[in-house]
Amino acid sequence: MAAIDDAYDPEAFREHGRRLVDGLADYLHAVRRGDGVAVLPWVDPGRSLEHWPAAFPERPDPSPDAVQALLSRVVAESTHLHHPRFVGHQVTAPLPLAALADMVSALLNNGMAVYEMGPVATAMERAVIEWMTAQLGFGPGAGGVLTSGGSVGNLTALLAARQACAGFDAWTDGSHAGPPLAVLASGQTHYCVQRAVQIMGWGVGGAVAVPVDERFRMRPDALEGALDRATGSGRRVIAVVASAASTSTGAFDPLGPIADFCERHGLWLHVDGAHGAAAALSPKYRGLVDGIARANSVVWDAHKMMLMPALVTAVLFRNDASSYEAFAQQASYLFEGRHPSDEWFNGATRTLECTKRMMSLKLYVSLSIHGTAMFGDYVTEMFDMARRFAHRVAYAVDFELAVEPEANIVCFRFIGNGSKGGIELDALQDELRSRVIAAGGFYLVRTALPAGVFLRVTIINPATKDADLIALLDAIREAGGTV
Ligand SMILES: *Cc1c(COP(=O)(O)O)cnc(C)c1O
């Protein structure tokens, strides 16, 4: 058993850790400056398999440099979210301190299903949930849980909504024990909501589309019609799912009027704030989520606009008791048969996960050490920068802005001299994106809107400056000149 003793050797850990943190600090220096580093060091998926074969030695490599060599290759070949010109998907450049806290979680491995398996992280979870609910304007009866991602979070909230509003016990008796259910949601809703209703057994028709306005926001005046259509087709509508903000264009559905509608009809209001609930932290932009405190449930990803490493998602309930409805079944060997709300500290009563990471730790540590103001300032600056960029795009004759941004997501396209249209113009955007990414200078994504294909940037990395976005337009122009 010598090998396993060596594997746990604290001195080896100290040495590996020192070198690793040193290496990562150098990496942060280099990548945040951005020079000479491709944002996405593109390797074809097939070739990547050759770089990382399932060829494991039977006995350990005795070389002390082996760890460093392996992990520095990982760093070099990964997508660099701390690069100022990473403006792709809505995943943030994590705070280094939060990454260190995550390492503590990995080593302590307190699994959180029951209090005894995570006493500190359980208390910290309660504290960050309390802080987050207060930011949204929820009252003292609010609560919630942390879970693994917005997709799981939305499913969790909708399970609670179903228990509260279906009019029958679908959890115990099955979804066939009552009329088919539905939620109302706009076509801009994240696909995981559709997936959640299908997981619950409601079929494709379980999400009924509500039309959007010209800025991709749900039209509250169209809710009544959507409800009638759903009811007419034999569905019982239990909830409205509003996006704050939508993934594709960052549009905030008007929560106040939607909440009015829900109150009139006794419907649950769920706000998918995975990306944009953090607007509540910004004095300048909190108006975008006006009315969020009237939601029954809110999902908020801290790995998007709160600078956390993935995953850490809050599922917040205006009435904390609702959160016990999502997974009402009890596992007696864990929970000793009392009502789960007597045991708020046994986390697994309220989450899909049994074991989960100590995900509260990184958030608690970051809020404690960096302070809360930094997070609000960050949201403000990212939203501001998106507006400045959109302004620039709107005034450039060779670019077209899809829509004025509300959040930090901007959709636009290169139109050049305006000679292309339709499918040709769509194909051009994809071609430009591929070229710009392959050149290594930027990482950006694309989205399909009714008007066609658009390039899409999310300004989410505090290292990104206006000059980077100006350079992006130039890089696209340059690529466009040679297509
Ligand atoms: C990102 C996102 C999701 C999915 O969240 P994950 O944490 O990636 O699972 C859901 N809804 C919205 C609005 C999002 O922006």
Side-chain angles (χ1 to χ4, degrees):
M1 290 303 281
I4 209 157
D5 285 340
D6 289 349
Y8 282 95
D9 177 23
E11 291 312 318
F13 176 70
R14 191 192 311 280
E15 184 57 22
H16 290 150
R18 266 203 195 118
R19 294 176 65 165
L20 193 59
V21 171
D22 267 351
L24 288 173
D26 291 344
Y27 165 74
L28 275 179
H29 265 301
V31 81
R32 292 191 91 240
R33 275 203 312 270
D35 28 77
V37 185
V39 183
L40 168 55
W42 177 256
V43 177
D44 283 322
R47 278 266 315 285
S48 181
L49 288 180
E50 292 163 22
H51 288 200
W52 308 101
F56 307 113
E58 194 180 346
R59 301 286 163 208
D61 179 345
S63 148
D65 295 329
V67 176
Q68 186 115 20
L70 181 57
L71 291 176
S72 49
R73 275 180 60 215
V74 171
V75 170
E77 293 191 25
S78 292
T79 305
H80 301 302
L81 275 70
H82 292 87
H83 193 297
R85 296 183 176 184
F86 173 93
V87 285
H89 288 290
Q90 305 145 271
V91 182
T92 203
L95 294 168
L97 182 63
L100 289 178
D102 235 8
M103 190 191 71
V104 175
S105 160
L107 191 78
L108 296 179
N109 207 25
N110 276 211
M112 305 279 303
V114 291
Y115 176 70
E116 295 159 16
M117 284 301 289
V120 176
T122 300
M124 284 183 165
E125 176 164 326
R126 177 104 163 177
V128 297
I129 293 283
E130 184 186 315
W131 182 80
M132 292 170 101
T133 55
Q135 300 310 305
L136 298 183
F138 280 152
V145 290
L146 297 180
T147 194
S148 300
S151 306
V152 173
N154 281 316
L155 174 62
T156 303
L158 291 177
L159 283 167
R162 184 178 67 169
Q163 275 320 86
C165 300
F168 63 98
D169 186 355
W171 180 260
T172 308
D173 302 327
S175 46
H176 56 279
L181 303 175
V183 297
L184 307 181
S186 91
Q188 297 294 311
T189 306
H190 192 273
Y191 73 87
C192 70
V193 170
Q194 179 72 46
R195 203 176 260 188
V197 306
Q198 292 186 242
I199 289 170
M200 290 189 288
W202 306 358
V204 183
V208 176
V210 183
V212 293
D213 67 14
E214 73 293 345
R215 294 178 67 178
F216 303 104
R217 299 171 298 199
M218 181 185 281
R219 275 178 42 205
D221 64 321
L223 279 164
E224 206 74 52
L227 178 60
D228 288 347
R229 261 186 294 126
T231 311
S233 70
R235 296 254 173 196
R236 178 178 291 167
V237 172
I238 63 156
V240 176
V241 178
S243 300
S246 69
T247 303
S248 191
T249 63
F252 284 84
D253 290 342
L255 302 180
I258 295 170
D260 291 341
F261 174 83
C262 288
E263 272 166 27
R264 267 202 312 281
H265 293 278
L267 301 177
W268 183 281
L269 172 56
H270 174 63
V271 176
D272 180 1
H275 181 88
L281 303 179
S282 162
K284 183 168 175 185
Y285 289 112
R286 63 173 312 138
L288 290 168
V289 291
D290 251 357
I292 200 165
R294 296 168 66 193
N296 298 87
S297 54
V298 176
V299 156
W300 179 353
D301 276 355
H303 53 273
K304 286 184 175 160
M305 292 302 291
M306 282 198 74
L307 303 167
M308 291 296 111
L311 293 163
V312 47
T313 295
V315 190
L316 305 168
F317 294 91
R318 188 174 66 207
N319 176 3
D320 188 37
S322 319
S323 74
Y324 298 97
E325 301 298 326
F327 306 101
Q329 144 210 11
Q330 300 218 351
S332 58
Y333 65 93
L334 285 176
F335 309 124
E336 297 170 3
R338 288 189 292 274
H339 188 272
S341 64
D342 300 338
E343 298 178 18
W344 60 267
F345 42 81
N346 290 328
T349 52
R350 303 197 269 175
T351 53
L352 185 62
E353 300 104 323
C354 176
T355 304
K356 73 178 183 190
R357 292 191 64 138
M358 303 164 70
M359 49 181 79
S360 56
L361 182 60
K362 52 195 165 191
L363 193 48
Y364 190 98
V365 168
S366 301
L367 288 167
S368 302
I369 303 299
H370 294 302
T372 57
M374 183 183 86
F375 293 89
D377 293 347
Y378 159 70
V379 171
T380 303
E381 176 53 16
M382 296 298 105
F383 281 35
D384 278 348
M385 202 183 301
R387 281 159 176 73
R388 294 195 296 268
F389 177 58
H391 191 75
R392 204 173 285 281
V393 168
Y395 279 88
V397 290
D398 48 353
F399 283 95
E400 181 188 19
L401 181 68
V403 59
E404 289 293 332
E406 293 193 282
N408 50 331
I409 297 171
V410 185
C411 300
F412 64 103
R413 60 182 171 178
F414 181 70
I415 52 172
N417 60 13
S419 64
K420 289 189 171 67
I423 296 172
E424 232 189 345
L425 191 56
D426 288 352
L428 176 64
Q429 309 311 312
D430 286 325
E431 177 62 26
L432 293 174
R433 187 179 96 86
S434 302
R435 289 188 184 204
V436 168
I437 291 173
F442 296 87
Y443 179 64
L444 73 169
V445 296
R446 55 96 83 183
T447 190
L449 298 174
V453 172
F454 284 78
L455 300 170
R456 174 174 173 274
V457 302
T458 304
I459 303 166
I460 198 163
N461 176 358
T464 302
K465 303 293 175 230
D466 293 281
D468 297 305
L469 300 170
I470 294 170
L472 171 64
L473 294 182
D474 287 340
I476 294 168
R477 279 191 183 108
E478 196 181 318
T482 60
V483 171

